Amino acid sequence: MSRIQPTAGAGAPGLGGARVAAVVGFLVFVELTSGIIQGMMPALLPELGTVLHVGAGDLNWVNAAQLLAAAVSVPLFGRLGDMYGHRRLLRIAVLCLVAGSVLVAWSPSFEVLLVGRVLQGPLAALLPLEIGLVRDRLDAAGARSAIALLVGALTFGASAGMVIAGLLREVISSVHGVLWIPAVTTVLCAGVVFFLVPESKTRAPGRVDWAGAGLLSVGLATLLLGISQGPKWGWSDGWTLTLLAVAAATLVVWVLVELRVAEPIVDIRLTVRRTLLPVYAASFLLGTALFGAQTAAVLFVSSPGDKLGYGFGYDALGIAWLMLPSGVMAFAASLVASRLFRLIGGRGALVLSGFLMAAGYVLLIVAHDEPWQFVVVNAIVGSGFGLALSAMPVLIVEASPHERTAIATGIYNTAKTVGGSVAGAVFAAILTAITFKGTKIPTIDAYTTVWWCCAGVSVLVAAAAAVVARPRTTLG
């Protein structure tokens, strides 16, 4: 019998176990598409820059624009979903994703590409909304299994997207032609969400905290903008310092406002609970290792080993194949996560994930001369990522009030995004600072420094997980 069972009395009339399982399958398709879109862009970005005549520095805005929109969208969509229905906001998020993907695929200019990436930002809100929906529809065990499947689909899709992009590029003559494939798939996702997914029934009371939403948007936008442009402008540059100062001041004011209003967009008191705060800290740290190290990994494996003494000289498709084990193992880990939770709990799984990631990065520091060593490391690190990405939402859902599920998990996604942005800027500075004399080419010491940082951050993930307090109530 399937573990994915509807909550007693929560389902819509006639919505039996088989129907609920099908709905989870539809949502898994949506998350798989979201992951593929996120995975395809890095592989295609260099060629997009060539076609649109954009320099490497300005290409940073392609990811920065999406991250900015995601950081703002997640808490806002999460709060609105808790209040007005998760499916309703899921529909809006998917429509934004469709519009953005079409603009990215068409993009006759760099400006249109950036607009498309901004519209793709709400894809980061899909998972929190889906978690809110399945929690409303499923019993405790079913919700855990469903969350693991959704996270697994997202992580596998992100890795598979790189391979898919490389394979499609072999048979499609233009990079824009490749991008039309995920754009069409998002239209299918819209059909799934509009016609095959039921609405959640639980509603959070109150009104929308638009002042809080505005302050949070400005604070996060200026923070991520300052971080993303810091390496280019210089950390002591007046504009960089101004952006970071505005971000700090705005976020302080935002916290004060959120503590005063009756129904804040982000419940600060909920966030700082001992059952949640360490998980959010671990989310930030995981983002630094998960997103921040991606660029360094791609640069390393694409470097010509015969000239630099490191790297394998791989092209985009070769890079994708080398990175695929990380996604495969992350997906596999997510599939066994629910069973592991029953043995050692979500907190224990998160501790284990931190040590797995740390072990992988230490191994990479010691052995990185052969491609198979990279494959082994990616498998180990990917297993840790999969466990962490499965454990964190479960811990957050179990520790948060039923009607605040989407916003609670939304904060988790935002923490990961901000962590990845911070790490991206820091690691870029490391790769820029430690170079061969008279060149801008990083030495092997630059990469090992990045990997040491990732190993240290992974240990901190385990440490944060170890201090998570057990919630008094459980999921369901």
Side-chain angles (χ1 to χ4, degrees), residues 50-131:
T50 301
V51 171
L52 298 178
H53 308 290
V54 179
D58 288 335
L59 278 178
N60 288 329
W61 280 100
V62 177
N63 285 330
Q66 196 271 332
L67 286 173
L68 288 170
V72 171
S73 298
V74 169
L76 181 59
F77 275 66
R79 174 59 177 158
L80 291 172
D82 284 338
M83 292 181 62
Y84 299 114
H86 301 112
R87 184 185 65 175
R88 180 176 297 180
L89 270 295
L90 197 60
R91 287 175 169 178
I92 296 173
V94 169
L95 288 178
C96 290
L97 180 58
V98 170
S101 299
V102 168
L103 285 180
V104 168
W106 174 54
S107 62
S109 66
F110 185 54
E111 292 75 17
V112 173
L113 176 63
L114 291 182
V115 172
R117 290 293 283 169
V118 169
L119 287 174
Q120 285 183 329
L123 69 80
L126 296 178
L127 184 60
L129 291 169
E130 290 160 354
I131 289 174

Side-chain angles (χ1 to χ4, degrees), residues 186-470:
T186 61
V187 177
L188 297 178
C189 289
V192 165
V193 172
F194 270 81
F195 300 110
L196 300 175
V197 175
E199 182 61 280
S200 57
K201 290 193 170 185
T202 304
R203 295 289 185 273
R207 298 182 301 176
V208 179
D209 173 26
W210 291 111
L215 287 168
L216 179 61
S217 300
V218 173
L220 288 177
T222 51
L223 174 64
L224 292 179
L225 184 60
I227 291 172
S228 65
Q229 293 301 105
K232 180 180 179 181
W233 294 342
W235 293 107
S236 61
D237 181 82
W239 283 109
T240 303
L241 295 176
T242 298
L243 284 172
L244 295 177
V246 170
T250 304
L251 290 174
V252 168
V253 173
W254 169 72
V255 170
L256 296 175
V257 169
E258 297 301 270
L259 290 173
R260 285 177 171 270
V261 298
E263 297 293 338
I265 190 170
V266 176
D267 191 337
I268 301 296
R269 293 182 177 87
L270 173 67
T271 303
V272 298
R273 285 184 180 181
R274 197 181 163 206
T275 52
L276 286 173
L277 184 59
V279 185
Y280 290 141
S283 303
F284 177 88
L285 295 167
L286 179 68
T288 66
L290 179 60
F291 300 122
Q294 284 181 342
T295 300
V298 170
L299 290 175
F300 180 90
V301 300
S302 64
S303 298
D306 56 338
K307 296 180 180 179
L308 301 179
Y310 65 82
F312 316 122
Y314 283 179
D315 59 13
L317 186 56
I319 293 170
W321 284 119
L322 202 63
M323 300 298 182
L324 184 60
S326 177
V328 172
M329 293 306 297
F331 180 67
S334 69
L335 293 180
V336 302
S338 59
R339 295 182 180 179
L340 190 62
F341 295 160
R342 289 195 293 272
L343 294 175
I344 61 176
R347 183 174 61 170
L350 189 54
V351 171
L352 176 60
S353 73
F355 284 123
L356 280 173
M357 292 185 291
Y361 283 118
V362 170
L363 179 59
L364 187 58
I365 294 166
V366 175
H368 48 256
D369 295 330
E370 300 292 337
W372 68 265
Q373 295 168 335
F374 226 90
V375 170
V376 171
V377 167
N378 277 335
I380 296 172
V381 173
S383 299
F385 282 148
L387 282 179
L389 292 172
S390 298
M392 287 179 182
V394 170
L395 289 171
I396 291 169
V397 167
E398 290 180 342
S400 60
H402 195 91
E403 73 279 3
R404 305 286 289 176
T405 300
I407 188 59
T409 51
I411 298 171
Y412 148 71
N413 269 5
T414 301
K416 279 194 308 176
T417 300
V418 175
S421 299
V422 172
V426 172
F427 294 164
I430 291 172
L431 296 177
T432 301
I434 308 175
T435 60
F436 290 104
K437 188 175 181 179
T439 74
K440 296 182 179 180
I441 302 173
T443 67
I444 186 60
D445 290 337
Y447 291 100
T448 55
T449 301
V450 169
W451 296 330
W452 274 121
C453 290
C454 290
V457 163
S458 300
V459 172
L460 292 177
V461 169
V467 301
V468 174
R470 297 182 184 277

